Amino acid sequence: MAPGAARLALPALLALIGVLLPGLGGAQISVHPPEATIPQGGTVQVNCSTSCDRTPILGLETQFTKKEVAHGSHWKVFELSDVQEDSSPICFVNCGVQMTASMSLTVYRLPERVELLPLPRWQPVGENLTLRCQVAGGAPRRNLTVVLLRGEEELSRQPAIGEPAEVTVTVLAGRDDHRANFSCRTELDLRPGGPGLFQNTSAPRQLQTFVLPETQPRLATPTIVEVGTQWTVNCTLDGLFPAAEANVILTLAEKKLNSTSLYSNDSVLAMANVKANSQKEDTQQLACVVTLGGRVQKKEEDVVLYSFPAPNLTLSEPEVSEGTVVTVECEAQAGATVWLEGLPSKSPEHRAEFQLNASAADHRRSFSCSAVLIVSGHQLRKKQTRELRVLYGPRLDETDCPGNWTWEEGSQQTLRCQARGNPVPELKCHRKGDNALLPIGDLRPVKREVAGTYLCKARSPRGVTSREVVLNVTYHQTNTTIIIIIVVAVAAFLGTVSAAAYLYNRQRKIQKYKLQKAQEAAAMKLNTPATPP
Ligand SMILES: *[C@@H]1O[C@H](CO)[C@@H](O)[C@H](O)[C@H]1NC(C)=O
Ligand SMILES: *[C@@H]1O[C@H](CO)[C@@H](O)[C@H](O)[C@H]1NC(C)=O
Ligand SMILES: *[C@@H]1O[C@H](CO)[C@@H](O)[C@H](O)[C@H]1NC(C)=O
Ligand SMILES: *[C@@H]1O[C@H](CO)[C@@H](O)[C@H](O)[C@H]1NC(C)=O
């Protein structure tokens, strides 16, 4: 027989006797406390007492270490130590007959481990999240509850069942759950009568939730790019949560581009300046990859790299004498079509030319040639221009220098006379007779002295040409003559008047003198002795 079975058999037997022989001699047996809750491995004192009228034999039946710590004639106190599990120690007394009374001893134990199992690193918003809490140990289990928590908020409260006990709860993850702390707590409730409520809490685990929309990012890029040029690529995705945690990678031909990301409330924008590393025509794939919460949204776009130099426009000679035949030629790359200005129709070829007999009118004439290339349905155009310089002799015709100017004296006029030619001729105009220079430019006012016939000579290394220019100045001749006549008449009149006045004056002075002489003579006669008349 196993020792455990023996331990159980004896109290059972004693109890049976007690039941069979109740109230013998009216004696009673009691045990105090009738129930006790102690920590595992703890000690407890049990008092067995009886009302037996004889000297009783008292004892305590238990499998644990016991020690009698005090006694009286009708009672004994035993101390049980190293109590490892729940049991029901039995007090017994022999008072003629055997009597027993049992107590209930409960052992409690705090959980050894309370753990919230790891959460996913990132949890999509709107999807179910299952929280699992494991509890190892802990007794008595009937008093042990597991509480799952978000922060301080209770999500679920369940009994701990199994070893280890696992408790789960499923919640719908929201944006509010981003960076929320989840944990679980055990509650060993030994109230009332017991030592109280014991709580143990797991280490918290922080959750990260995210939203990555099902839509593709928007990738903004030219789809055709000229080899060797730089261009800009933008990639955006809206509706992200938390946008700042999104990571955007731009790649070209599977090579990561150096990009900058800008974040707003719920979107991200990545930008990169790209210079195709390829120097030849090629089609490369551009990709934008947005990663959030371990999930990916991707957009790809093909970029065609083309090469299209401007057409080559040549003049057989850039500077020619007039009357020389010049060949204008334009050539573009194969596959392009050129349009040479001056040719009546577009050439379907990549090359075109024509000839012209250079005239003075062609000096500084600009020739242009356009080339058109179609790349992936896009029409591209490049243009080249060249200027022709024609050397021609001096020109001085009616339009360059009008030959007859007739102006009113005193009016304000502009005399225009300029010789043409390449190189620019030197122009000199002299008046016939006195060699005076022709006043070219603004004349304000026109004076009559400039009138005359001039000979203009335009001279350049390419020759000399001359032209006569007549400049007439009109004025009101008759009026002037009258004025002169009047002036002369007035002058003559004034002359006559003054001459008359002079003569008169002179006559008066003479008379005055004669009178004076006469008076002097008379006076002399008075001074001499009077001679009677
Ligand atoms: C449980 O809590 C008690 C205090 O209440 C502490 O002494 C014990 O170490 C805790 N146990 C665990 C597993 O955390
Ligand atoms: C979660 O816990 C961490 C550290 O334990 C703390 O910094 C953070 O503020 C907590 N989050 C919330 C929402 O309380
Ligand atoms: C070019 O034009 C000039 C003047 O019109 C003419 O004299 C000359 O013969 C022309 N030259 C040719 C090659 O046609
Ligand atoms: C110059 O012009 C005037 C008036 O406009 C005219 O009377 C005169 O005959 C012209 N002279 C010449 C040489 O053309």
Side-chain angles (χ1 to χ4, degrees):
M1 216 179 188
R7 279 209 310 267
L8 285 175
L10 183 60
L13 184 62
L14 293 169
L16 182 65
I17 292 165
V19 170
L20 289 173
L21 305 163
L24 272 181
Q28 296 278 316
I29 181 162
S30 62
V31 57
H32 186 82
E35 43 194 48
T37 304
I38 60 164
Q40 185 177 41
T43 58
V44 65
Q45 290 192 350
V46 180
N47 187 349
C48 295
S49 60
T50 180
S51 58
C52 181
D53 46 8
R54 309 181 221 160
T55 305
I57 298 165
L58 274 168
L60 180 69
E61 183 56 43
T62 176
Q63 75 262 43
F64 302 120
T65 311
K66 74 176 177 209
K67 190 167 80 179
E68 189 185 306
V69 290
H71 68 271
S73 58
H74 286 78
W75 58 270
K76 269 186 182 165
V77 174
F78 299 96
E79 188 180 81
L80 306 188
S81 59
D82 194 21
V83 177
Q84 289 299 332
E85 59 194 59
D86 292 359
S87 71
S88 302
I90 296 167
C91 286
F92 61 87
V93 62
N94 196 339
C95 181
V97 291
Q98 278 269 19
M99 289 181 294
T100 62
S102 70
M103 71 165 299
S104 165
L105 195 54
T106 303
V107 166
Y108 73 87
R109 200 155 30 94
L110 293 176
E112 286 132 34
R113 181 169 62 89
V114 180
E115 188 189 1
L116 183 70
L117 297 187
L119 301 175
R121 234 178 80 70
W122 283 97
Q123 168 71 23
V125 167
E127 290 185 17
N128 278 339
L129 168 70
T130 300
L131 303 169
R132 294 175 193 280
C133 183
Q134 271 190 0
V135 178
R141 278 295 179 84
R142 64 181 177 277
N143 293 47
L144 187 64
T145 309
V146 182
V147 185
L148 285 152
L149 301 159
R150 169 173 52 204
E152 293 300 309
E153 177 198 354
E154 281 189 16
L155 299 171
S156 175
R157 171 177 284 272
Q158 295 171 39
I161 297 160
E163 185 56 54
E166 185 167 296
V167 169
T168 65
V169 67
T170 298
V171 293
L172 195 64
R175 293 184 184 216
D176 297 351
D177 295 319
H178 184 61
R179 298 213 183 279
N181 293 319
F182 290 86
S183 61
C184 66
R185 182 173 74 206
T186 55
E187 290 181 2
L188 185 61
D189 192 355
L190 301 172
R191 298 167 300 179
L197 174 70
F198 296 95
Q199 294 186 333
N200 278 90
T201 306
S202 72
R205 291 194 189 271
Q206 205 173 48
L207 184 68
Q208 301 187 95
T209 62
F210 73 99
V211 179
L212 181 67
E214 287 301 314
T215 53
Q216 285 190 327
R218 290 193 306 278
L219 187 55
T221 176
T223 52
I224 60 168
V225 170
E226 188 170 353
V227 161
T229 57
Q230 216 178 47
W231 79 98
T232 306
V233 173
N234 277 355
C235 180
T236 50
L237 186 60
D238 299 330
L240 295 172
F241 173 84
E245 302 282 341
N247 181 34
V248 188
I249 293 175
L250 289 165
T251 59
L252 181 67
E254 290 174 1
K255 271 194 188 150
K256 190 169 180 278
L257 299 173
N258 218 350
S259 68
T260 320
S261 293
L262 295 175
Y263 296 94
S264 74
N265 241 2
D266 70 339
S267 67
V268 64
L269 164 67
M271 289 174 296
N273 276 323
V274 195
K275 186 159 182 182
N277 35 32
S278 166
Q279 279 307 311
K280 57 177 176 49
E281 299 190 72
D282 191 10
T283 297
Q284 296 193 337
Q285 194 173 57
L286 184 73
C288 172
V289 180
V290 180
T291 310
L292 178 59
R295 293 194 188 178
V296 162
Q297 282 293 358
K298 190 171 181 180
K299 174 78 179 174
E300 289 166 338
E301 197 84 64
D302 278 347
V303 176
V304 175
L305 297 174
Y306 68 87
S307 161
F308 182 29
N312 193 11
L313 177 63
T314 51
L315 303 174
S316 52
E317 275 178 90
E319 188 168 70
V320 295
S321 298
E322 64 182 324
T324 310
V325 174
V326 177
T327 306
V328 182
E329 183 187 342
C330 182
E331 184 166 6
Q333 73 182 67
T337 49
V338 295
W339 181 56
L340 185 54
E341 197 186 308
L343 264 189
S345 64
K346 215 178 242 186
S347 141
E349 305 289 329
H350 70 283
R351 193 180 166 285
E353 67 164 61
F354 68 88
Q355 294 187 324
L356 87 154
N357 184 352
S359 69
D362 295 321
H363 179 53
R364 294 195 178 279
R365 177 169 164 194
S366 168
F367 296 90
S368 75
C369 177
S370 303
V372 172
L373 182 71
I374 306 221
V375 177
S376 319
H378 295 259
Q379 204 183 60
L380 305 171
R381 186 178 292 269
K382 288 234 172 148
K383 193 173 168 179
Q384 176 79 270
T385 44
R386 290 268 180 270
E387 197 183 72
L388 178 66
R389 306 177 65 81
V390 180
L391 296 167
Y392 63 99
R395 297 281 162 88
L396 196 60
D397 58 18
E398 180 64 20
T399 54
D400 303 317
C401 188
N404 186 10
W405 303 87
T406 302
W407 286 327
E408 210 168 281
E409 185 183 29
S411 64
Q412 306 209 341
Q413 305 290 351
T414 302
L415 195 150
R416 195 171 42 73
C417 182
Q418 195 160 30
R420 281 177 298 132
N422 181 30
V424 176
E426 188 193 33
L427 177 70
K428 277 192 179 141
C429 302
H430 294 283
R431 185 155 58 190
K432 288 182 171 168
D434 66 353
N435 237 21
L437 281 174
L438 176 70
I440 294 171
D442 288 347
L443 300 178
R444 16 181 100 147
V446 174
K447 297 197 177 103
R448 80 174 65 163
E449 298 86 67
V450 301
T453 301
Y454 296 80
L455 183 66
C456 289
K457 276 190 181 168
R459 191 186 302 271
S460 85
R462 301 194 69 84
V464 184
T465 187
S466 59
R467 178 173 178 76
E468 215 165 70
V469 174
V470 178
L471 181 53
N472 301 308
V473 179
T474 58
Y475 49 91
H476 301 288
Q477 192 143 19
T478 43
N479 290 358
T480 322
T481 315
I482 290 167
I483 289 167
I484 290 169
I485 291 168
I486 290 171
V487 168
V488 170
V490 168
F493 171 74
L494 289 178
T496 315
V497 169
S498 52
Y502 172 76
L503 290 177
Y504 166 78
N505 227 14
R506 184 179 149 87
Q507 204 52 47
R508 248 190 40 192
K509 277 187 183 158
I510 292 171
Q511 281 175 359
K512 201 175 166 184
Y513 177 75
K514 282 181 176 167
L515 188 63
Q516 211 172 337
K517 286 280 177 207
Q519 281 171 347
E520 278 171 12
M524 281 195 13
K525 273 180 193 160
L526 283 178
N527 288 347
T528 55
T531 47

